[in-house]
Amino acid sequence: MKIRILGSAAGGGFPQWNCNCTTCAGQRSGTLHAEARTQSSIAVSANGVDWALINASPDIRAQLLAAPEMQPNRALRDTGIKAVVLMDAQIDHVTGLLMLRESKQRLPVYCSARVKADLTSGFPIFNILEHYCGVDWQEIKPDGGAFTIAGIDGIEFTGVPLTSKAPPYSPHRANPAPGDNLGLLMYDRASGKRAFYAPGLGIIEPQVETAATQSDLILVDGTCWRDDEMAQRGVGSKLASEMGHLCQSGEDGMLQWLARFPNRRRILIHINNTNPILVEDSAERAAVIERGIEVARDGMILEL
Ligand code: MLT
Ligand code: MN
Ligand code: ZN
């Protein structure tokens, strides 16, 4: 199984267009050692030719330009993308669907019924796409059952339901239910290896514990270092936990949890532009690396 990190930043990207927080301004001026990053998305393939796009970021055009292996050029109009899989209905994970409107086939999109409901109401991307390529919706049931994707031979996928809220524009934002947010377990039949991907992970529940225990690669939420980071940086008042993200630092933080899986490859992804781990010579980055944990970069290739 080959995984390509298309975008490793959280919503807004890094640096964010209107942000002059320490990290954004430092990146822009070159006074901090920090790489720019696009918004949250990965691609997975068993054969290196046919890819499942996991989340479709608003930055998808630049991400695909940087990933020539995803354009096999077998016909006048062609793509390596066989299907799109959505973890939730958030702007940073679904807006890229609009950029795929020139698809020659109805676009196969795998997501939960809850996400489909949001994408046909509060953020009606599926309805809009009906005027272009159309969507071939395939349901991911949030019951933990494995599914396969037509054209992606050799990989079994399992949606892992995560407790978190639907986006602000969702008609069911006030009534969270299984399927609003998923993690994804990917099992490569040939290598026998598993990867667990969860860019939005707020609470470590038993099903998350099980998924991580089974996995050789744990690719999880690296949004904020501190729960009150937005306030600390003066850019907002919401806690990371209120946005469905478990911060890295502290007694019950992500680093403490990941320490329970010392023999796995562990990578933080979906990193917010305020997060000091973006700065390569920061104390926070050192604390991550010291624990054997990695920080995702755009263009990173993971093979397992
Ligand atoms: C999130 O994961 O909380 C989102 O990235 C927020 C956003 O896109 O505005
Ligand atoms: Mn996000
Ligand atoms: Zn910023």
Side-chain angles (χ1 to χ4, degrees), residues 60-136:
I60 187 167
R61 190 173 173 282
Q63 293 171 343
L64 292 179
L65 280 173
E69 76 267 36
M70 292 180 69
Q71 176 47 269
N73 188 11
R74 298 160 295 199
L76 182 58
R77 294 286 173 93
D78 193 23
T79 177
I81 300 172
K82 286 281 188 245
V84 186
V85 184
L86 303 176
M87 301 292 87
D88 54 47
Q90 293 273 1
I91 288 177
D92 58 342
H93 287 159
V94 304
T95 311
L97 290 173
L98 294 173
M99 288 71 186
L100 299 178
R101 66 190 176 284
E102 296 97 349
S103 173
K104 298 318 284 175
Q105 289 85 41
R106 292 184 77 79
L107 197 61
V109 179
Y110 291 69
C111 66
S112 69
R114 299 280 291 186
V115 168
K116 182 197 180 211
D118 286 347
L119 299 180
T120 49
S121 60
F123 192 16
I125 288 187
F126 281 12
N127 307 11
I128 294 168
L129 284 175
E130 280 311 311
H131 301 277
Y132 299 89
C133 59
V135 168
D136 174 18

Side-chain angles (χ1 to χ4, degrees), residues 165-231:
K165 280 194 287 192
Y169 39 81
S170 169
H172 58 255
R173 176 151 167 100
N175 307 297
D180 285 333
N181 292 268
L182 296 174
L184 195 66
L185 198 55
M186 297 170 277
Y187 170 63
D188 185 297
R189 287 194 196 119
S191 69
K193 304 271 184 175
R194 282 187 179 81
F196 177 55
Y197 173 60
L201 183 56
I203 308 170
I204 306 298
E205 297 169 289
Q207 68 277 20
V208 173
E209 197 76 41
T210 305
T213 304
Q214 292 176 335
S215 296
D216 304 279
L217 167 67
I218 304 171
L219 189 55
V220 287
D221 194 330
T223 309
C224 290
W225 175 256
R226 289 167 55 135
D227 198 31
D228 62 352
E229 185 169 299
M230 304 291 281

Side-chain angles (χ1 to χ4, degrees), residues 14 16 19-25 235 273-274:
F14 177 57
Q16 180 175 308
C19 191
N20 290 301
C21 74
T22 319
T23 34
C24 285
V235 296
N273 57 71
T274 48

